[in-house]
Amino acid sequence: MIRYDHILYIAISLVLTVIALIGLARVRAPKAKVIILQTIGVITFLLHISIMWVDYLTNGSAGAPDYILFPINFCNFTMLLLLIVGFIRNKEGVAFRLLGTLVAYGGIVGGIVTLCYPEFYIWQPDFSSWYILKSFLGHSMMPLGSLYLFVGGFIKIRVDNTLYLAGGLFLTLIVGLAVNAVFAMCGLPEPNAMYLQKSPIAEVPFLNGYVIGMLMLALTFIFTVIWEFFACPKGYRWYNYLTKANADEQRLK
């Protein structure tokens, strides 16, 4: 059933995200950009774990849900990485490119999809609950941080992003398998970390984590190919570098 408060929240969130990005795009100083990225990461992470403090201040005691202690959902993992990439010193290194690319594309997809199809809200449609509200706010901050990686010039939209994204998704796979294994070894029900065991949408059972990852890679490749066609001048597109690499290889033989 469609709820108008949900639709209204999505509309307001998207508008505020666009306004914020337009304002943040005016910032040119490299140090200021890093501080902005770090601030977005810290706020997003604090929203994610804030339920423990709210529970304690409300009830006098608090427990830590599994998704707080472990990176079970892709969005939880992305939120953590958004915090980490902001504090990686070498923004030109392989580690930043790998994690930053995963956050840049994964955070946009994960954040927007979850805002439009929030399981936590469908089962408990109550904006007065901090659990619901903080989840919405956290998933609104994710696309903001992910898009700022592009707007701030940390990640450039290029076809080779597909390779870094593939590396990031492989890391996601390892983390998901490890979390499921830890739960199984401790005699706990496996949490379907990273949706590796079943689809997050019961009506679409084939859409598990493996399929989602493949779709992300395919869509990223198609998107960046089209982007380079319009944004990059002839001679500087991805296939030009492949041709140059082949020519250099032939000369070395």
Side-chain angles (χ1 to χ4, degrees):
M1 183 177 66
I2 297 176
R3 292 183 59 93
Y4 294 104
D5 50 359
H6 180 200
I7 296 174
L8 180 62
Y9 179 88
I10 293 174
I12 293 173
S13 175
L14 294 177
V15 169
L16 291 179
T17 297
V18 171
I19 293 173
L21 289 171
I22 292 174
L24 294 175
R26 298 175 179 272
V27 178
R28 301 297 182 186
K31 288 185 178 180
K33 289 182 179 181
V34 171
I35 292 173
I36 290 170
L37 182 62
Q38 291 173 342
T39 301
I40 294 173
V42 169
I43 291 174
T44 305
F45 183 71
L46 290 178
L47 282 169
H48 176 55
I49 65 174
S50 64
I51 189 65
M52 294 186 296
W53 283 273
V54 172
D55 276 352
Y56 185 84
L57 294 174
T58 303
N59 305 314
S61 63
D66 56 0
Y67 66 87
I68 296 291
L69 295 175
F70 300 92
I72 291 176
N73 299 322
F74 181 67
C75 288
N76 302 151
F77 187 46
T78 307
M79 287 180 184
L80 176 61
L81 292 182
L82 177 59
L83 174 66
I84 291 173
V85 297
F87 289 91
I88 294 178
R89 289 189 177 183
N90 184 6
K91 297 293 192 289
E92 303 296 330
V94 174
F96 181 84
R97 285 293 304 275
L98 191 148
L99 298 180
T101 302
L102 177 62
V103 172
Y105 289 98
I108 294 170
V109 174
I112 293 177
V113 169
T114 304
L115 284 177
C116 294
Y117 188 80
E119 289 183 279
F120 55 83
Y121 180 72
I122 291 172
W123 296 110
Q124 186 184 348
D126 181 11
F127 268 100
S128 64
S129 165
W130 178 248
Y131 168 78
I132 301 298
L133 183 57
K134 71 92 182 173
S135 296
F136 270 114
L137 292 173
H139 285 91
S140 293
M141 292 296 294
M142 276 176 56
L144 175 63
S146 298
L147 287 167
Y148 187 68
L149 283 166
F150 294 118
V151 172
F154 296 99
I155 301 292
K156 297 184 183 299
I157 302 176
R158 295 291 184 270
V159 172
D160 66 356
N161 285 352
T162 309
L163 297 176
Y164 288 102
L165 180 60
L169 289 173
F170 181 74
L171 173 63
T172 304
L173 170 64
I174 298 301
V175 170
L177 291 173
V179 171
N180 284 334
V182 168
F183 274 62
M185 287 188 297
C186 294
L188 298 171
E190 295 184 37
N192 189 28
M194 308 303 166
Y195 306 119
L196 296 178
Q197 297 168 317
K198 61 181 180 180
S199 168
I201 305 174
E203 295 80 5
V204 191
F206 68 87
L207 195 64
N208 57 26
Y210 299 98
V211 175
I212 293 171
M214 295 293 184
L215 288 174
M216 285 183 62
L217 287 174
L219 292 174
T220 299
F221 179 74
I222 294 170
F223 168 72
T224 50
V225 165
I226 296 172
W227 179 277
E228 283 199 11
F229 181 79
F230 290 100
C232 297
K234 291 182 178 180
Y236 293 91
R237 295 168 186 163
W238 66 281
Y239 51 82
N240 299 123
Y241 294 99
L242 291 178
T243 305
K244 182 178 183 299
N246 290 334
D248 291 342
E249 184 180 347
Q250 291 298 322
R251 281 197 295 270
L252 291 173
K253 288 183 178 181

